[in-house]
Each structure stands twice: as C-alpha cells, then as structure tokens.
Amino acid sequence: MNTQEIEWKTTEGLTAYEDALAFMETRVAQISAGTAPECIWLLEHPPLYTAGTSAKVEDLVAPDRFPVYEARRGGQYTYHGPGQRVIYVMLDVAKRGRDVRCFVRNLEAWVINTLAEFNVTGEIRDGRVGVWVRRDDKPLTASGAQQEDKVAAIGIRLRKWVSFHGISINVEPDLEHFSGIVPCGITEHGVTSLVDLGLPVTLDDLDSALRQQFEHVFAQNNSCPPA
C-alpha cells in the first residue's frame, strides 16, 4: 500500500461536528467510487459529546452541558473539545485485506507508536476500548487495582469497506469536561492527557509523530499486529 497516495488534511481552529460529518460522508462515497483519494483529517471540535452505537442513556451524566450527537460509530459516549486531536480516518479497508479486526489493531498500534515518541507507554485492555496508561502516581482503585487513565479513544464505522470516524488523542483538553459522561462506560478508571502526564506536547508535535508512525504501521505490507 502506497501511503503517499493518502491526502493528509489539517484544519486550524474548531470544526463544527456537523461539518465534519458532512465532509466524511462525501469523501467516503468518493473513495468508494474511486473518484477521490483516501484521507486522514486532523482537527479539533468545540466541546461536545458523541454517542456510539453501544451508548447507554445512564452514562450521559450531564445531558444539557454540551451538544450531544449520535455518531453511529462503534463504542459508547466520548467527549471532543479544544486541546484534543481528532483524527478522522477515511481509508479503504478492502485494499488492506478486508480484516476489520486487523485494521483496528493497526489503528491501536498507530496510537501506541505515536505515544512512544513522547516516552508514554500506551496499552490496550480487554473489554476497554481505546488506549490506556498506567498511573503509578495515583492511589489504587476501590477494587485495589492499579489506576489506569484513558489517553486516546478509537471508534470507527465502515461503509462499503471504507472507514470513517476514527481516533481522538488528549493533548491538553479540559479534563473536567469528561465528567459529563461516563467515558466509554468505564467508571473505575479515569481520563488523562499528554500535558496532564507532565509532557509539554503541542498539537503540532503530535501531528508530526502521527504522520511518521502512520508510515511505519500501515506501510508494512498490510501486516497485522498481534492481538
């Protein structure tokens, strides 16, 4: 797969969620029809909550705080807002072996490799969507387990084997905004960001690492990371 054929799009400022959905709908149809290249779009949203296909009403703690959108992607409730890098991934999964699980593992590896550029060890947990970091600096949870915080969310949708929606990585969002939902239905663990972890990382820093690591993960002859 020639990753140089992919269009990388970066939008400054805040992009309305409705505008992002409209763009993705159009581009996915074009990719499917073969009239436009694949696309990875880097942006920020104003504060909002999105509900995935598995979202539970009781997990929306503050329904009137920010706008709430039905995202029709996989997963549960997620927050988006300033200081969080949203990466919308519009790729032809058919060209990548038609293996959805493998595609998601590649997305996870992409995030983990990107975080490693900043000496952050991201990990995947069974039964918990997204990428997590261990918090040795925090007390144990109520069950006696080590505290782990979510630093990145992953939720995709496929249409005619073309992906959309994608990934969000917390760089420096207002973490208090996550209190309006139960993020991804997980109550025992928390949410963090790169700046919260003590790293002076900017969106531009993250974008550079994302671009570099995408080439490493997705240009490996469509290989699939181990589960």
Side-chain angles (χ1 to χ4, degrees):
M1 180 62 56
N2 184 1
T3 58
Q4 293 183 347
E5 297 174 356
I6 297 169
E7 177 187 357
W8 286 75
K9 174 181 169 71
T10 302
T11 300
E12 302 293 335
L14 303 180
T15 299
Y17 191 72
E18 299 95 328
D19 294 343
L21 283 181
F23 177 89
M24 284 192 286
E25 292 278 349
T26 299
R27 177 54 72 93
V28 165
Q30 292 171 337
I31 294 170
S32 180
T35 59
E38 297 173 301
C39 180
I40 294 175
W41 188 11
L42 309 176
L43 56 83
E44 293 175 272
H45 283 308
L48 58 93
Y49 298 128
T50 66
T53 54
S54 302
K56 300 175 182 177
V57 173
E58 60 268 27
D59 287 344
L60 182 58
V61 179
D64 299 323
R65 186 172 187 186
F66 298 128
V68 181
Y69 296 92
E70 299 290 333
R72 292 185 291 176
R73 50 151 177 80
Q76 301 185 41
Y77 280 106
T78 298
Y79 166 77
H80 294 311
Q84 180 192 73
R85 177 53 88 209
V86 175
I87 306 112
Y88 286 133
V89 181
M90 291 155 273
L91 298 176
D92 189 340
V93 180
K95 293 180 180 179
R96 294 171 168 80
R98 294 177 182 261
D99 187 332
V100 178
R101 290 185 180 180
C102 178
F103 181 68
V104 172
R105 289 206 296 272
N106 274 308
L107 293 177
E108 292 169 343
W110 182 25
V111 174
I112 289 170
N113 288 9
T114 297
L115 293 175
E117 291 286 304
F118 307 103
N119 295 314
V120 173
T121 302
E123 298 179 292
I124 304 302
R125 291 289 179 262
D126 289 339
R128 283 195 256 142
V129 179
V131 178
W132 300 77
V133 294
R134 302 186 191 195
R135 298 303 300 266
D136 297 329
D137 58 324
K138 289 188 174 182
L140 299 179
T141 66
S143 66
Q146 183 180 45
Q147 178 72 45
E148 297 181 343
D149 286 346
K150 188 172 189 176
V151 69
I154 298 174
I156 64 165
R157 185 181 178 194
L158 294 182
R159 180 179 296 155
K160 296 183 178 178
W161 289 104
V162 178
S163 68
F164 56 123
H165 295 285
I167 299 164
S168 60
I169 300 176
N170 297 331
V171 178
E172 193 179 8
D174 186 338
L175 295 179
E176 198 279 328
H177 287 178
F178 285 89
S179 66
I181 57 172
V182 178
C184 298
I186 304 298
T187 57
E188 187 176 32
H189 297 284
V191 180
T192 190
S193 68
L194 294 176
V195 171
D196 181 55
L197 292 170
L199 301 168
V201 178
T202 67
L203 289 172
D204 288 342
D205 295 333
L206 182 70
D207 293 349
S208 296
L210 283 165
R211 185 74 177 258
Q212 178 180 358
Q213 292 303 322
F214 183 88
E215 300 290 335
H216 289 196
V217 172
F218 284 89
Q220 307 263 336
N221 297 317
N222 298 329
S223 61
C224 193

